[in-house]
Structures are given as structure tokens and as C-alpha cells.
Amino acid sequence: MVGTALVAAPATYIFRPVTAYAAVVPSQCGSGARCNDGWTDFCSNIYGVNTCPPGSMVAGWWRAQGNGYCDGNHRYYMDCNASSCSCGCGGSGTCHHSCTSFDCHCSHDNCNERKTGCTRFRYGQCNNHEPCLGPIVCRVVTCIPPWEWDSSCSSTVAVSQTTINHDAPGLHPDTTPKGPYPARPAVLIGNTWQLRNSLSSGGPQSSFEFGVDGDVPLMGDFSNSGVRTVAVVRNAREGVAGEEDLEWYMRQVEGPGAPELVIKYGRPGDIPVIGDWNGNGVHTIGVVRGNRWLLKNTNRSGSPDYDFTFGQPGDIPVVGDWDGNGRTSIGMVRGNRWLLRNSLSSGGPDYDLNFGGGNGHPVTGDWDGDGRTGVGWFDAGLWRIRNQLFSGGANASFTFGNANGTPVTWGRNA
Ligand SMILES: [Ca+2]
Ligand SMILES: [Ca+2]
Ligand SMILES: [Ca+2]
């Protein structure tokens, strides 16, 4: 089982080859070395993104209060433990690192950095249904309550101020968006996700299964981690009219695995959308019901934070940060006409252009990485993309996916 995560890991992941002779372990470092301070390194320092790496899951959390990293709100520390053990855990709930795909060493084999894969400990509020997990691989820090990061986490409060000033480059302020990053293409075919790292013709660099056939695919950064991960919405195309039973299954970790977040929001027939509506780096849920937009700033069930109309029933909703101000806004596609608006409110379009049309689907993305979302059209595996929001031809085109694919865009800041 250990090899599964490695094989299916995203192409951007470089797994450490476990060469014991090269590893620097805590016992080789002085007692005052950071590798011996008792704490595990941050995921962002090891993996470039502030989320658990593939092959790990959150096993517990604590919070610190009173620092400036989360705009005056609590800052949460979550431990990512290795998620599969090839040996048993006994009564401890944790196995030795040699039974996992992670080894124990100082981060970057440097005594001046904290350790990874060494500490066998579970704080115990998350994924308690997993009786046996490996040691702590790394820590995530976030302004999102852990139970909005992983639905299995309880809200039982644990407070520790000892780590209040632990930090790593790129983590703070934690409410500064880790993106934007240039869009990369993905397609969902059946329940198989295919991800590619560049806007060029070719096959997938990562391929894995998530969700079931008929789910609506989305990708977003659901925790301001610096990477867009997969999500599906179930019952959007069929279900009992009037029931609030659209089911959202969202991953916080790259690649395949069980969904960390499971939410109910919306009704059958609604079209799901994802965006950073308030510009805090966290992409959150929304639905379009006819021409009514119902958007939330948190990934939890409940009343919408925005409720307005834009476009006409029958239009295809699209979202993007058209003006590059860090906040996602709205649009409708009607045939080959794109009507885009910068505000989350009713009113006329700020952009009105023609692009694409005919067979296929609209697709949006920040193709050139300038912070502004551009337009695109996907037709049977042919992607045509355009950066400017006025009528004109494609700036580029490439082939990826096929006629059975639904296009999605993702991105990663490292
Ligand atoms: Ca947000
Ligand atoms: Ca915007
Ligand atoms: Ca752009």
C-alpha cells in the first residue's frame, strides 16, 4: 500500500529518495540545533505549498491566539501524519517511520532546520476513524478552522501559545493569497482526472481517480495553501428538485484520496462554481440557479454571503478575476458572447466580447500569469485561449484531453 501514493502523486511532487547514508537525523545534530527543538517542520518549507503532502492526513491541531498572522483571528497549527503503515501501531495509534513512505530526518538534511517524519504523536481531533497512522511529516498553519479544512476534525479546543512565533518563508500574513499562479490545464474523463503542467499539447503528467462518473469537476485552493486541488459536486445533474442536497467532496491534498471536506450546499439543477470572492486566498463554494448567484465565503453549509442576479437562465456561468484585484467575480457565456462583471452584484457587464462558441465548453484561466483571468474554449481536446477581454482570436491553442473530457484549470505556486 505504501507505493500507491508515490505512483499516483502529482507530477510536481518530488519524493525524497530514502538514502540513509545521506540523511541527517536529529541525533547527529547538537542539542541546541533546531532539528532537536522538538517541533516538526512546516509543509511549506519542505514541499513548497502549505498543505499536507500526498500520503499524509491531518491527525490533530492546536491554535495560537493574539498574533497578527490571521487579521486578529486565531491561527491554527495542524499536524500531517503519514497515512499508511505497513506495520501495526499496537495501542499507540502511530507506527514507526520505517513502516511508511517517509523517513525521519532534519528538513533538507540540515541541523538548522526542524525535523520531519520523526515524531510519533497524534493530537487526536482529526481522522480518529484511522486507528493507525505514521509519524508527523510536517505542519500546516492556517487561519481556517480545522473543521473547515477537514470535516473529520472536531472543534474541541486546544490552545498552545508556545508555537505562536514559529514561522517559515511565505506563510505570513496567512491571509495574503498564495496565488495567483499561471493556469494549468486539467480534464475529467469519467472519474479519471488528468493534469498537465503546461499549456502545451501532450498527455497528462498526473492521472488519478476521484469522485464518480457524472460528478461536476472543480479545482480550487480551499485553504490558501498555494495549490488548487480537486473537488466534485454530486447530484447537480439529477436529484430531487427543491432538496438542498448538492454534495461537495473537496480535497485539500494533491492527488487521489478520500475527500477532506464534505459539504451540502445547493440544489439539483444548480451549477456549482468556486472562487475567492473576498480575496483572502481561500476559494469557496457557490451555485448559480438560473441567473441567481448564491455564493459563500466559507466552505460550509448555510446561507449565502452573496445573493444577486446576473445574466439570463440558460447562460453558462463562468468565474474569474477579470481585473486582477485578487477577488474572483462573475460572468455568463451566451453562445460565443461573454458578459463579464467585476462586482458580485446585479448590473451590466464590464466586458462584453465574443470568443469561441459552437461545440464544446467555455473554460477560464490566468493563462499568462499576470493575475487577470482570461477566456478559453475547449472542444474535444482542443484548447483555444485568449488573455485579453475584448473580441479577437486565440493567443494560443493546444490539444489535451478528448471529446469526453470536461476542462478544468488548476495551478500551483511552487
Ligand atoms: Ca475567499
Ligand atoms: Ca476581480
Ligand atoms: Ca492573464
Side-chain angles (χ1 to χ4, degrees):
M1 296 305 105
V2 172
T4 307
L6 297 170
V7 171
T12 45
Y13 257 82
I14 300 165
F15 271 85
R16 172 188 166 83
V18 182
T19 51
Y21 66 89
V24 173
V25 298
S27 62
Q28 293 172 283
C29 306
S31 60
R34 203 169 222 200
C35 190
N36 275 322
D37 80 350
W39 300 98
T40 300
D41 198 7
F42 289 108
C43 301
S44 67
N45 194 41
I46 304 175
Y47 299 103
V49 287
N50 183 31
T51 186
C52 297
S56 71
M57 64 175 66
V58 173
W61 60 269
W62 69 95
R63 80 176 189 214
Q65 42 209 26
N67 67 29
Y69 296 138
C70 289
D71 292 344
N73 297 313
H74 299 311
R75 190 192 209 202
Y76 298 90
Y77 298 71
M78 304 191 301
D79 286 334
C80 305
N81 288 57
S83 53
S84 58
C85 295
S86 60
C87 56
C89 282
S92 71
T94 61
C95 71
H96 191 260
H97 65 82
S98 61
C99 305
T100 74
S101 53
F102 300 92
D103 63 325
C104 165
H105 63 281
C106 304
S107 187
H108 303 115
D109 295 314
N110 182 343
C111 286
N112 296 320
E113 298 194 38
R114 293 197 171 94
K115 61 191 173 182
T116 171
C118 305
T119 303
R120 294 173 63 177
F121 179 75
R122 296 175 69 166
Y123 232 110
Q125 307 100 319
C126 308
N127 287 302
N128 285 343
H129 58 282
E130 296 285 350
C132 186
L133 295 176
I136 302 168
V137 177
C138 57
R139 288 182 290 163
V140 167
V141 291
T142 174
C143 305
I144 304 172
W147 52 94
E148 286 181 27
W149 200 102
D150 185 318
S151 300
S152 80
C153 296
S154 79
S155 56
T156 304
V157 174
V159 179
S160 170
Q161 299 298 88
T162 56
T163 55
I164 191 167
N165 292 315
H166 284 192
D167 228 353
L171 286 181
H172 62 88
D174 299 339
T175 47
T176 300
K178 304 288 188 292
Y181 16 70
R184 300 174 181 182
V187 286
L188 179 66
I189 300 171
N191 71 338
T192 301
W193 293 74
Q194 299 188 343
L195 275 59
R196 191 164 165 77
N197 289 340
S198 62
L199 302 171
S200 59
S201 297
Q205 277 131 350
S206 173
S207 181
F208 56 89
E209 294 183 355
F210 180 74
V212 300
D213 205 0
D215 286 348
V216 174
L218 297 160
M219 293 188 83
D221 183 345
F222 308 120
S223 52
N224 196 22
S225 65
V227 62
R228 286 176 178 248
T229 48
V230 300
V232 293
V233 182
R234 197 159 300 160
N235 300 335
R237 297 186 171 112
E238 54 188 71
V240 181
E243 298 280 328
E244 298 283 340
D245 64 355
L246 236 57
E247 295 172 357
W248 298 66
Y249 298 90
M250 306 159 79
R251 284 281 285 167
Q252 301 279 18
V253 177
E254 292 180 81
E260 279 78 19
L261 269 183
V262 180
I263 306 165
K264 285 196 175 191
Y265 184 70
R267 298 175 189 167
D270 291 351
I271 297 175
V273 291
I274 282 282
D276 185 2
W277 318 120
N278 62 358
N280 69 347
V282 180
H283 292 185
T284 52
I285 58 179
V287 294
V288 185
R289 185 172 298 159
N291 66 345
R292 186 175 169 198
W293 296 68
L294 301 155
L295 312 177
K296 285 183 65 68
N297 284 326
T298 53
N299 285 316
R300 62 167 93 145
S301 301
S303 304
D305 295 300
Y306 310 90
D307 181 349
F308 58 90
T309 58
F310 179 74
Q312 299 171 2
D315 291 347
I316 300 173
V318 290
V319 298
D321 185 1
W322 318 119
D323 60 357
N325 71 346
R327 291 191 289 276
T328 311
S329 65
I330 57 171
M332 284 294 207
V333 179
R334 189 177 300 157
N336 70 341
R337 187 175 173 198
W338 296 65
L339 302 155
L340 311 177
R341 183 167 165 81
N342 290 323
S343 311
L344 297 175
S345 58
S346 298
D350 295 302
Y351 313 88
D352 185 344
L353 66 141
N354 298 316
F355 186 78
N359 294 328
H361 308 260
V363 59
T364 61
D366 182 6
W367 316 116
D368 58 358
D370 69 349
R372 298 163 198 258
T373 307
V375 297
W377 202 267
F378 175 92
D379 180 12
L382 175 66
W383 298 66
R384 285 177 291 144
I385 58 178
R386 179 170 170 80
N387 298 313
Q388 299 87 1
L389 298 179
F390 52 86
S391 296
N395 299 124
S397 64
F398 58 92
T399 55
F400 174 57
N402 62 35
N404 297 319
T406 303
V408 196
T409 49
W410 67 293
R412 196 181 198 273
N413 72 355

